[in-house]
Amino acid sequence: MRKRAPLDLTRSVITAIGVTLLAYVCLRAALTVVRGSYSATTYASQLIFGLAQGGIYALVALGYTLVYGILFMINFAHGEIFMGGTYVGYFVIDACARSGLLAQKPGLALILTAITAMATSVTMAVLLERVAYRPLRRAPRLVPLITAIGASLFYQYSFRGLFGTTVKVYPDVSLHVGRIDLISGRYSIGSLTVRPVYFVVFGMAVVLMAGLYILIQRTKLGKAMRAVAEDKDTAALMGIDVDKVIVATFALGAALAGAAGVMYALYNKQVTHTMGFIPGIKAFTAAVLGGIGNIPGAMLGGLVLGVVEATFPTLLGMDVQLKDVLAFGVLVLVLIFRPTGILGEVLSRKRA
Amino acid sequence: MATLEVLDIHSFYGSIEAVKGVSLTVEEGEIVTLIGANGAGKTTTLNTISGIIKPRQGRILLSGQDITPLPPHEIVALGICQAPEGRRIFTRLTVLENLEMGAFLRRDKDGVKRDLEHVFALFPRLAERRHQLGGTLSGGEQQMLAIGRALMARPRILLLDEPSMGLAPLLVREIFRIIREINAQGTTILLVEQNAHMALSIANRAYVLQGGRVVLSGTAQEIRHNPEVRRAYLGEVS
Ligand SMILES: Nc1ncnc2c1ncn2[C@@H]1O[C@H](COP(=O)(O)OP(=O)(O)OP(=O)(O)O)[C@@H](O)[C@H]1O
Ligand SMILES: [Mg+2]
């Protein structure tokens, strides 16, 4: 018992810091609200944007968490897989714009773009698993981590070498349903400006997440993925081809990232070879926030992070430029109180 | 015709040689038991047969076909399934999902359904708990699930690694009764056991493993009456 005293002390100090920070955040937020410096519509529009952005984070975070759940490895090149899909998707949607297809059949053009983007991301991820990660599966954990960083740079510079450094811009898309333009429209409701694209992105994200959840829970592949995540040798003894399941896991995460990339580009139109970095780090943060390896956790973490980023700068009266600092601040705060993330399991219950 | 032939296998963990030239055969329809002290190499032998560990030397034949280089899932496809040591059930899958994993490679939906009913008939306790998570079962129930899961593959040869480990005497007898029943229904069994007494009472033939080598083999009858075995494994004071 005595031996544990220093640890308990550290723990209490950390908790004290956490409580102080939390109290400060609540106080600042309460003050801002009470003072009424901002109207409800400001918060509403921030919340809507936050949910859309959070949906993107969640989709990308799922890629991190799926791979971690099965290989206990952070695929740091996942941001580049998001970038690659978005980038190649640009060429398709640009060609559609030039040929007039985008104007005539915008829905079809978007589907073509999304399919290409997803296929690109899947190809990149599967290649990465096969060439870089599989040979290292039994290596010490630091080795694949460093390899992932190398792979990340490899993909960035490959795209730079192939397509140059000029910024590509997704063309404007008009997709009308009745009188509403779902993608490019801006509508005023009272003092609130609404962009339907945020609802579309959030809705799509929810649909994709629900689809993934059903796949994991109900299908044979999903059950095999859960079995492999828990015990690879035993899964193999049951006749499951573990390598195939691992490839499928990478492919699923990548498909979500590719789809997320196109959705992201609908409102963040600029595409570059470095565009995967920040969303990648944010999505990773979201995955840790929700509890790395936990699928509902990644979904929740993504949405929480998106909303926090969108609303906290105003709530806390800080410069919008500081939103990234706030995002990571929230991560630290959550980890102080729940070291395994919001929905994470207690680590000792998992196998070493 | 011999169903399973293990020919002089040597298996290693790094530079440690855990199995030093084991040979054994299991004929169709038999129960063969592999007994030996802790660390004798029993589990290593089973895992080498299953393809989880690749031997550095030696071959494993199934009905004459060399299965040594095959990955584990292809070995299962050929009809060898294992209920591993320590149960190793999937704790975060339900009982039903665990059983479905045993039938992973099977395409005959009706057959799988029938076998599921069969497993539930063998182990009624599993039927009651089919939607419960595997991790919430008791030790004995987990062992039943591990055996049932392996049966779902409808193996020609069932490998059982210490199915009686950690179970109360009454349950041990129950498990052994069921093993005999499974065998009577046509499944060949290779049984690894610490409980030599029980194992020898249901087996046709036995191999005694010591330090990674087979030191004795014969009919269960012979082995049971061997004075060495009586002293070392059947707990008799000489
Ligand atoms: N993963 C491993 N790494 C290194 N050595 C191992 C490993 N697994 C087993 N061994 C060693 O190999 C030898 C044989 O082990 P094995 O598990 O096959 O024995 P066993 O007969 O099944 O024993 P038990 O009755 O205790 O299950 C032992 O000396 C053990 O220490
Ligand atoms: Mg053993």
Side-chain angles (χ1 to χ4, degrees):
Chain A
M1 283 276 97
R2 268 223 165 132
K3 265 189 190 157
R4 295 196 46 193
L7 209 122
D8 288 345
L9 188 68
T10 328
R11 186 79 221 147
S12 344
V13 170
I14 290 176
T15 311
I17 294 172
V19 171
T20 317
L21 267 172
L22 193 67
Y24 172 76
V25 167
C26 294
L27 205 72
R28 274 303 281 263
L31 262 166
T32 314
V33 174
V34 170
R35 273 206 211 115
S37 340
Y38 300 93
S39 63
T41 52
T42 309
Y43 295 120
S45 67
Q46 284 174 352
L47 183 69
I48 293 166
F49 173 75
L51 284 173
Q53 187 84 350
I56 301 286
Y57 290 157
L59 290 177
V60 181
L62 282 166
Y64 284 100
T65 242
L66 284 168
V67 166
Y68 184 86
I70 222 157
L71 289 180
F72 305 103
M73 175 211 140
I74 307 295
N75 176 14
F76 268 120
H78 192 58
E80 273 51 59
I81 286 169
F82 167 87
M83 175 277 290
T86 321
Y87 212 115
V88 175
Y90 160 78
F91 293 118
V92 176
I93 200 164
D94 188 54
C96 290
R98 284 170 205 280
S99 69
L101 183 72
L102 188 64
Q104 285 156 16
K105 290 201 164 77
L108 178 68
L110 281 177
I111 288 171
L112 278 178
T113 306
I115 288 176
T116 318
M118 289 163 85
T120 306
S121 294
V122 168
T123 310
M124 286 170 70
V126 169
L127 208 70
L128 187 63
E129 191 278 331
R130 190 70 195 82
V131 174
Y133 298 152
R134 195 179 299 182
L136 300 175
R137 219 174 278 161
R138 286 176 201 282
R141 291 173 74 160
L142 199 58
V143 177
L145 194 73
I146 292 168
T147 307
I149 294 168
S152 176
L153 292 173
F154 170 80
Y155 274 140
Q156 271 189 36
Y157 284 96
S158 299
F159 273 79
R160 188 184 132 142
L162 284 170
F163 307 116
T165 52
T166 49
V167 176
K168 318 280 188 293
V169 182
Y170 264 56
D172 288 325
V173 185
S174 283
L175 182 62
H176 284 273
V177 170
R179 298 234 298 285
I180 297 173
D181 183 342
L182 286 181
I183 310 292
S184 301
R186 280 167 203 273
Y187 303 92
S188 298
I189 303 172
S191 58
L192 181 66
T193 304
V194 177
R195 291 196 59 186
V197 67
Y198 296 140
F199 291 96
V200 171
V201 168
F202 177 65
M204 282 291 299
V206 169
V207 167
L208 287 172
M209 286 190 271
L212 177 82
Y213 194 73
I214 290 169
L215 189 146
I216 298 280
Q217 289 301 323
R218 296 283 160 80
T219 67
K220 203 165 176 177
L221 174 66
K223 290 169 194 173
M225 282 169 63
R226 284 187 283 140
V228 170
E230 199 174 327
D231 187 340
K232 286 178 196 51
D233 278 349
T234 306
L237 284 180
M238 297 303 117
I240 296 170
D241 185 341
V242 172
D243 283 340
K244 252 193 202 158
V245 170
I246 290 173
V247 170
T249 306
F250 272 88
L252 259 178
L256 293 177
V262 172
M263 285 150 61
Y264 182 75
L266 290 178
Y267 62 95
N268 270 315
K269 294 174 181 297
Q270 299 194 346
V271 178
T272 65
H273 64 280
T274 54
M275 68 169 287
F277 183 67
I278 295 291
I281 295 274
K282 290 288 176 59
F284 170 60
T285 305
V288 175
L289 191 64
I292 187 93
N294 183 301
I295 289 169
M299 299 176 182
L300 185 66
L303 293 177
V304 167
L305 193 70
V307 170
V308 161
E309 246 184 42
T311 59
F312 272 34
T314 319
L315 265 180
L316 301 184
M318 288 181 176
D319 193 49
V320 186
Q321 299 288 318
L322 290 176
K323 71 179 171 51
D324 294 352
V325 177
L326 282 171
F328 298 121
V330 166
L331 175 73
V332 171
L333 206 55
V334 168
L335 291 184
I336 284 176
F337 293 106
R338 284 197 61 92
T340 53
I342 302 172
L343 299 181
E345 295 173 56
V346 183
L347 265 176
S348 60
R349 258 182 54 203
K350 282 192 173 173
R351 63 270 115 185
Chain B
M1 183 191 68
T3 308
L4 177 70
E5 289 172 275
V6 174
L7 303 172
D8 190 35
I9 53 166
H10 295 253
S11 296
F12 289 75
Y13 295 102
S15 60
I16 304 165
E17 188 173 12
V19 168
K20 306 169 181 167
V22 165
S23 297
L24 57 88
T25 58
V26 183
E27 308 278 345
E28 199 153 344
E30 278 188 313
I31 298 182
V32 172
T33 184
L34 194 57
I35 56 181
N38 291 116
K42 305 181 296 292
T43 298
T44 309
T45 303
L46 286 197
N47 281 340
T48 308
I49 295 171
S50 283
I52 297 270
I53 298 170
K54 292 298 169 197
R56 217 172 269 182
Q57 235 187 82
R59 293 191 310 153
I60 297 159
L61 307 181
L62 180 65
S63 301
Q65 182 192 352
D66 189 354
I67 61 166
T68 329
L70 300 182
H73 60 97
E74 286 180 30
I75 292 174
V76 175
L78 290 174
I80 300 181
C81 196
Q82 189 189 147
E85 180 173 18
R87 294 129 198 179
R88 305 275 286 264
I89 59 157
F90 302 114
T91 57
R92 279 173 290 186
L93 268 59
T94 65
V95 168
L96 189 62
E97 286 169 342
N98 266 280
L99 294 171
E100 285 170 9
M101 289 301 101
F104 188 78
L105 288 173
R106 292 176 60 180
R107 298 277 171 267
D108 56 324
K109 276 200 175 142
D110 295 336
V112 170
K113 221 176 191 169
R114 265 199 309 279
D115 285 353
L116 197 61
E117 290 315 312
H118 176 62
V119 167
F120 284 147
L122 276 178
F123 304 108
R125 285 213 237 174
L126 294 183
E128 293 160 27
R129 292 166 173 75
R130 67 178 80 191
H131 296 299
Q132 206 168 310
L133 286 185
T136 65
L137 297 183
S138 76
E141 289 159 0
Q142 292 193 3
Q143 188 60 62
M144 296 174 192
L145 182 55
I147 297 175
R149 185 179 61 179
L151 281 179
M152 288 304 293
R154 186 172 278 224
R156 290 160 64 192
I157 304 181
L158 177 63
L159 311 182
L160 295 172
D161 198 346
E162 301 204 27
S164 75
M165 188 169 63
L167 302 187
L170 210 64
L171 203 51
V172 171
R173 237 168 297 156
E174 173 72 3
I175 292 282
F176 275 92
R177 186 186 62 71
I178 288 166
I179 292 170
R180 209 140 67 174
E181 195 175 324
I182 292 166
N183 177 249
Q185 286 158 359
T187 308
T188 307
I189 290 173
L190 178 55
L191 170 67
V192 161
E193 258 305 328
Q194 290 272 339
N195 190 336
H197 189 74
M198 287 298 278
L200 288 171
S201 73
I202 66 165
N204 303 103
R205 291 188 303 111
Y207 291 86
V208 180
L209 220 56
Q210 203 175 73
R213 292 192 174 87
V214 174
V215 291
L216 205 63
S217 67
T219 66
Q221 198 73 294
E222 286 163 13
I223 301 291
R224 199 153 32 153
H225 293 109
N226 182 296
E228 271 294 300
V229 173
R230 291 183 85 89
R231 199 171 43 76
Y233 302 106
L234 298 177
E236 256 177 38
V237 199
S238 57

